[in-house]
């Protein structure tokens, strides 16, 4: 998947007809005795209707300290033991503070980590489940553990010792690194980007608790205006009178294949009877691996795509999803979908091999390309979300544009690989007309132009779609 | 865990009081927002009351072909492509055929395997979940795949080409070995017994489908009379007018610490108001690793324990659980508990590090000793089962018998290690009086006596409790 540009479009409306008030299930085989029947599986109270979907747990979590108490909390924090956060830890504080992980109220305690690792879900007081597939945990080392064990709260500070938050009612427990990696990625092979970056050299202990975040987290990179919280997004969707919100998670440049998919999805939602479906174009803004196109360049490219009118600004909201990237395939796509429920999305577009990557050691993709959408369609706690799988589109030479791939005339289609795209952009050549809007392409040309080859003379490879 | 003999007894009745009509939860911390509250989590209709608990899915599965159709099925099978089963495959056919895995109707199709690996549970038509934590799958190699792809059914035969069953409505899909191992065991380290035995060299494909089992599976080892099916057991419990059934899974010799635990549990259930609690003493009879005491010797030992009156035959049912052993800790203990629900048990005794073992590579236990009972207490689909955790007992020198370990007078207690026990038995010496009934001990002496040292002169080590 990593080496081919493609985009996909929803299955035939025959299947899509089921979507309007149920959880869409792709047509892979389920034995009768255990077949997933969304109509029976979905409690009436949760049926998706016009208006915004309820956040997980019924209430959107907001972990920010209210202005009046802020000074008090700062003084309180001054007397607490300190735990230093990495950049990625701060990204998770950001994610938690705005309620993307509702109903989580802070870094996971052991009972939440165990439920996440074994069940990809958390059980609520009423016995219902919310989805939670990715561990959101904070690691500390032995000396940090020593320094905090006497206290019930700790102050969380960034690399400049700036106070970020207070973690209260703390629980410290063993960091089961190998088990965490195996159950999250389905492999322990060396070279998993997030593992190398955040787990391998992290502490042997995890500290869970409830977060009190002192100030809104800003990155001052000129993109903070795009970082809308789930509450901001819900207000925006309401302002626009959206009766359906369909989310498109991406971490790569948008080409016309994606645009085709998104506009076609809106058309289908209108066909289904929705009056005003709004697209949440939601690039991931947290940690990504070195060969992904950086957020700043992606945002420039997305802006051009909107300027060039490929997508309609009237019915599109572009915002940044602050989560770091795990590249954990079927496990992570659940997190990507669940977080968008909290932001008000009731439709989620899922592609081939979501959150996937090549196996770090073996010559194959890490995950089966179809497992992501299958797991997503069966995941506990996501019954209320309508899953929109899509099939491959490619460049149709006969039409001179991106179109749904038609196997019966395969020879008419051109799959433009990442290598091919990089080579074109690097040589300042143009792709086939209609592959990407000129403004967006120009941004990519500038990006690759800006890259200085690394020691081994290799330039990072973009991984579109 | 592997090196110490211990047994454990339920927490104080203070906590046990909660058990009578709810799913017991140990006192480890759950954050308020996500705390597991059994009273609300448990639908009224499922509250455990006097009488036998309902099987998963509401109906106990029986996959045997009825006598009248047997000949017809045999003729049908003769014309089908054949798949040869390993001994462990046959054990799984046995497990499936009697409904231990109800509502599963055969080897898992991909949708069931994915739910098992990611969610440890399967969703039913009504949207409810049953627990299913261990993959029950059948692997085939490329050539076998070739030979069956044209057919909708295959004949399953044993190593002597004897017809065992027909698998119908088959689905063949990739065998994701690495992912299956990582998500089941939480490690991919080499040396996991079940992995080495059944997965490492197995085929690259899995074949799922519905089973039609031609004849009852017998082992002709003199122990078949102990192999009661879930239906047999339910009939037996009803015959005895059991109003509570508490299951004790084991794969090791029973010493007086276990006996203490089991009799004490019955006493507590009587205290709770149950009139006739029956113990299901349920040794695992399928595949076990080389250093476990073989089933035949364990059964001899269990019989002695009953003969010697350590356990009351009137209130105890000894039967063999036909499942193979995974040694997958918190993942597998869910399977051990779920299967006993199908056999009519509504109480399950869980010890320290259930289904655990030493890490195959590192010098540590593979699993945190407390994770098993924690995961079990939170597992989807096990809400109806009352979990009875127990704490360590050891040999009390002051009383000359096994007793609950009292940390305040630790010096009074003797923990008899597996090595110590082996040395004693090997040298035909006796353990401290009161450690194990003489008849049971004699069996162990005979077992170790019967062992011929392997090349490296080492004798397999028993791993009691």
């Amino acid at each position: 998947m990593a080496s081919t540009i493609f985009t996909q479009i929803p299955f035939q409306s025959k299947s899509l007809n089921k979507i309007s008030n149920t959880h869409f299930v792709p047509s892979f085989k389920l034995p009768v005795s255990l077949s997933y029947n969304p109509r029976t599986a979905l409690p009436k109270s949760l049926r998706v209707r016009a208006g915004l979907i309820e956040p997980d747990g019924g209430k959107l979590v907001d972990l920010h300290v209210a202005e009046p108490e802020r000074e008090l909390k700062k003084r309180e924090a001054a007397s607490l033991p300190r735990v230093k956060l990495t950049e990625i830890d701060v990204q998770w504080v950001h994610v938690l503070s705005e309620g993307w992980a509702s109903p989580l109220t802070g870094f996971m305690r052991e009972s939440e980590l165990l439920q996440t690792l074994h069940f990809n879900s958390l059980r609520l007081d009423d016995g219902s489940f919310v989805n939670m597939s990715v561990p959101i945990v904070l690691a500390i080392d032995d000396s940090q553990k020593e320094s905090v064990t006497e206290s019930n709260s700790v102050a969380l500070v960034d690399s400049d010792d700036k106070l970020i938050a207070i973690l209260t009612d703390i629980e410290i427990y063993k960091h089961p690194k190998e088990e965490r990696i195996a159950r999250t990625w389905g492999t322990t092979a060396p070279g998993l980007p997030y593992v190398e970056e955040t787990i391998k050299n992290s502490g042997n202990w995890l500290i869970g608790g409830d977060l009190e975040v002192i100030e809104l987290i800003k990155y001052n990179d000129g993109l903070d205006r795009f970082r809308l919280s789930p509450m901001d997004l819900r207000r925006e969707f309401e302002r626009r009178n959206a009766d359906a919100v369909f989310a498109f998670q991406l971490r790569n440049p948008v080409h016309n294949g994606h645009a085709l998919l998104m506009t076609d999805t809106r058309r289908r939602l209108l066909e289904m009877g929705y009056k005003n479906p709004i697209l949440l174009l939601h690039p991931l803004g947290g940690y990504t691996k070195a060969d992904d196109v950086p957020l700043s360049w992606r945002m420039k490219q997305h802006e051009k795509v909107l300027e060039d009118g490929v997508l309609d600004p009237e019915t599109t909201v572009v915002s940044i999803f602050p989560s770091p990237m795990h590249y954990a395939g079927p496990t992570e796509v659940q997190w990507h979908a669940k977080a968008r429920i909290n932001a008000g999305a009731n439709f989620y577009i899922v592609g081939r091999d979501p959150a996937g990557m090549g196996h770090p050691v073996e010559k194959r993709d890490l995950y089966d390309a179809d497992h992501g959408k299958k797991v997503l369609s069966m995941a506990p706690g996501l019954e209320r979300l309508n899953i929109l799988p899509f099939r491959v589109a490619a460049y149709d030479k006969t039409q001179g544009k991106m179109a749904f791939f038609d196997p019966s005339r395969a020879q008419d289609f051109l799959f433009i690989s990442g290598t091919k795209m990089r080579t074109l952009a690097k040589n300042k050549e143009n792709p086939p007309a209609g592959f990407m809007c000129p403004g967006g392409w120009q941004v990519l040309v500038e990006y690759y132009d800006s890259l200085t080859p690394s020691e081994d003379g290799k330039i990072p490879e973009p991984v579109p779609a």
Side-chain angles (χ1 to χ4, degrees), chain A residues 314-389:
Chain A
E314 279 309 301
T315 58
T316 306
V317 173
V318 182
S319 180
I320 294 172
F321 177 47
S323 173
M325 190 76 197
H326 269 64
Y327 306 95
T331 298
E332 185 170 27
V333 71
Q334 297 173 70
W335 160 242
H336 287 172
K338 173 244 169 65
R340 272 52 177 243
I341 291 178
N342 286 331
N346 56 339
F347 288 87
Y348 185 83
I349 300 170
V350 60
R352 184 177 164 284
D353 198 17
M357 55 175 272
H359 192 289
V361 174
E362 301 168 24
K363 279 210 176 314
R364 60 173 177 96
D365 285 344
L366 182 49
Y367 303 107
D368 180 302
D370 293 329
H371 282 185
K373 72 167 177 277
K374 290 178 182 179
V375 167
L376 195 55
S377 70
M378 301 187 289
L382 297 183
E383 299 81 1
R384 302 177 296 144
L385 188 66
N386 301 297
I387 309 301
L388 298 172

Side-chain angles (χ1 to χ4, degrees), chain A residues 187-204:
Chain A
T187 178
T188 58
L192 296 167
Y194 189 90
V195 171
E196 299 293 324
E197 187 76 24
T198 71
I199 301 179
K200 203 168 147 195
N201 302 316
S202 65
N204 295 322

Side-chain angles (χ1 to χ4, degrees), chain A residues 6 38 65 200 206 285 318 369 382 437 450:
Chain A
F6 64 84
V65 173
K200 203 168 147 195
L206 296 174
V318 182
L382 297 183
C437 69
S450 75

Side-chain angles (χ1 to χ4, degrees), chain A residues 89-109:
Chain A
D89 292 334
V90 173
Q91 289 171 6
W92 282 121
V93 171
H94 183 186
V95 164
L96 290 163
S97 68
E98 297 182 334
W100 296 97
S102 293
L104 268 191
T105 55
F107 286 106
M108 291 178 173
R109 297 185 175 92

Side-chain angles (χ1 to χ4, degrees), chain A residues 93-139:
Chain A
V93 171
H94 183 186
V95 164
L96 290 163
S97 68
E98 297 182 334
W100 296 97
S102 293
L104 268 191
T105 55
F107 286 106
M108 291 178 173
R109 297 185 175 92
E110 189 178 45
S111 63
E112 293 160 327
L113 176 61
L114 288 174
Q115 292 180 80
T116 299
L117 291 178
H118 288 275
F119 314 132
N120 286 7
S121 59
L122 301 171
R123 191 195 300 263
L124 304 186
D125 286 349
D126 66 1
S128 68
F129 292 95
V130 294
N131 189 268
M132 193 68 242
S133 61
V134 162
I136 303 181
V137 290
L138 180 58

